[in-house]
Amino acid sequence: MQILSKQEAFTILENPSVGIPMEAIKFLYNYGPDEEILEKIIFALKNAYKDVFFDEEEGMYLDIPLWYAIVAENHLDIRLVDVIIQLFVEADFEMDFLSEQCGYLVGKLCETFGEEAIENFFHAIEDALIGRSDLPSLFLFDCFYFLDPEKYQERILNLLHDKNFYWKEALIIHLRHPKFIVFKPALEKILKEANFLANIRDSWLYKSLAKETQASINLMVEETDKNASDLAFSQTRENWESHYEKLQDHFTPKEDSEDEDSWGSIFENAVLEDTSEKLYKIYDPTQATKINRNAPCPCGSGKKYKKCCMP
């Protein structure tokens, strides 16, 4: 299908249909810098989990914001930083393809706008300690791949030392690079405490924290070639067309499906097949009682916590 105008592409994206509207996304993606397109992107992301995009008949949110989030890859603007922060620190939602896509945009914005974007994302992570710590601010952690450890040293140490920081294991995983060697003593202390608690409580939660902390320490002291653990999701994911073409089936309703968690399971399974796996297996074992009931279970089963190991 040949699309001839922005308005035609907007109409296709904003009218729910089966599958991913690849051609309409491609048309807007490749369109030159355009304020109207940017306004559409900002509106979609600001309202992604609000009534305007909620389908009452289906009982779920529409994918329109996801389509615009893909378009945003080629329409980057510093204004998107605050919009994405708002999405991750204010919205109460289950992890889905939109959260993965916006996590990708975090890296792209850091690459494009440097310190201005990095500082805002990092500050939002700090602010998460003040509000509801279980909201998905973990998707902002890809800013760590671009920040200067020396400049942020004291602030990172504050996060590592805070007993109430829900996403501590996410932070530790994002320190897996020789440039973060300055944090090795702090991680060694966390490792010692986690091993002690794992032994006296026989808890897989503390065992997981110890395992991830040890892995981060190892990668801090080893000079390794670049691999997925050294790079942000925005640097490892394939181009958007190839990535989403593989996901087409996940946006096509399957007949006779009565599993209430089928959509969430589809997302979780698809994510685990991608290099973005590192984003989702990062729960803080020291705060086990605070795991979001709708989050993927830390045991790695791919099921939601409430359907798996939740007491």
Side-chain angles (χ1 to χ4, degrees), residues 134-146:
D134 62 335
L135 290 173
S137 57
L138 78 162
F139 288 97
L140 302 176
F141 275 81
D142 266 24
C143 69
F144 276 70
Y145 293 102
F146 305 95

Side-chain angles (χ1 to χ4, degrees), residues 39-96:
E39 288 175 358
K40 289 276 191 179
I41 293 168
I42 291 173
F43 178 84
L45 296 183
K46 276 187 173 181
N47 296 281
Y49 298 103
K50 296 181 180 179
D51 290 345
V52 65
F53 289 121
F54 187 74
D55 186 332
E56 293 187 2
E57 184 176 336
E58 295 294 332
M60 61 188 294
Y61 289 99
L62 300 172
D63 292 314
I64 296 168
L66 173 59
W67 311 150
Y68 278 111
I70 299 170
V71 173
E73 292 182 22
N74 211 33
H75 291 270
L76 297 175
D77 186 281
I78 193 63
R79 286 171 285 178
L80 291 175
V81 172
D82 286 339
V83 174
I84 290 174
I85 288 173
Q86 177 185 329
L87 180 73
F88 286 143
V89 303
E90 294 182 11
D92 192 0
F93 61 91
E94 298 180 9
M95 298 177 186
D96 56 14

Side-chain angles (χ1 to χ4, degrees), residues 20 22 239-249:
I20 303 174
M22 300 291 286
N239 69 75
W240 78 269
E241 288 185 84
S242 298
H243 180 69
Y244 283 98
E245 190 62 48
K246 294 176 182 177
L247 299 175
Q248 277 282 15
D249 288 346

Side-chain angles (χ1 to χ4, degrees), residues 100-289:
E100 180 201 50
Q101 177 62 26
C102 286
Y104 178 93
L105 291 176
V106 168
K108 297 300 291 184
L109 289 164
C110 288
E111 286 184 87
T112 303
F113 298 105
E115 185 59 28
E116 184 176 3
I118 295 167
E119 168 60 31
N120 279 288
F121 286 133
F122 192 93
H123 186 67
I125 293 170
E126 292 175 313
D127 281 350
L129 285 172
I130 301 173
R132 277 190 53 197
S133 60
D134 62 335
L135 290 173
S137 57
L138 78 162
F139 288 97
L140 302 176
F141 275 81
D142 266 24
C143 69
F144 276 70
Y145 293 102
F146 305 95
L147 60 74
D148 178 355
E150 183 176 351
K151 178 176 180 179
Y152 288 86
Q153 180 175 348
E154 183 177 350
R155 295 163 72 183
I156 293 174
L157 285 172
N158 287 339
L159 293 177
L160 287 172
H161 292 152
D162 195 297
K163 298 294 185 181
N164 296 316
F165 188 40
Y166 185 79
W167 297 114
K168 186 176 294 184
E169 194 171 335
L171 168 57
I172 290 171
I173 288 175
H174 282 79
L175 298 179
R176 292 180 176 177
H177 191 279
K179 75 175 185 177
F180 292 116
I181 189 66
V182 67
F183 302 108
K184 183 171 177 281
L187 292 197
E188 289 175 334
K189 181 179 178 180
I190 292 172
L191 177 62
K192 182 177 179 180
E193 293 174 352
N195 278 326
F196 174 76
L197 291 170
N199 288 331
I200 64 173
R201 298 184 183 180
D202 191 26
S203 168
W204 60 266
L205 291 168
Y206 291 109
K207 290 177 182 178
S208 173
L209 178 60
K211 177 183 176 181
E212 299 298 350
T213 304
Q214 184 64 68
S216 293
I217 292 172
N218 292 343
L219 287 170
M220 281 180 177
V221 299
E222 296 176 4
E223 289 290 344
T224 59
D225 293 331
K226 280 192 173 183
N227 54 52
S229 65
D230 300 322
L231 301 170
F233 180 42
S234 61
Q235 297 171 313
T236 58
R237 196 206 72 186
E238 57 194 337
N239 69 75
W240 78 269
E241 288 185 84
S242 298
H243 180 69
Y244 283 98
E245 190 62 48
K246 294 176 182 177
L247 299 175
Q248 277 282 15
D249 288 346
H250 300 310
F251 291 89
T252 303
K254 294 178 174 57
E255 296 181 3
D256 302 323
S257 176
E258 298 180 356
D259 182 0
E260 65 173 284
D261 290 327
S262 59
W263 195 93
S265 299
I266 286 171
F267 167 69
E268 291 156 15
N269 292 336
V271 163
L272 293 176
E273 295 171 0
D274 198 274
T275 55
S276 56
E277 177 179 359
K278 59 183 168 57
L279 286 175
Y280 301 96
K281 289 187 174 181
I282 45 183
Y283 305 94
D284 184 5
T286 65
Q287 302 295 322
T289 58

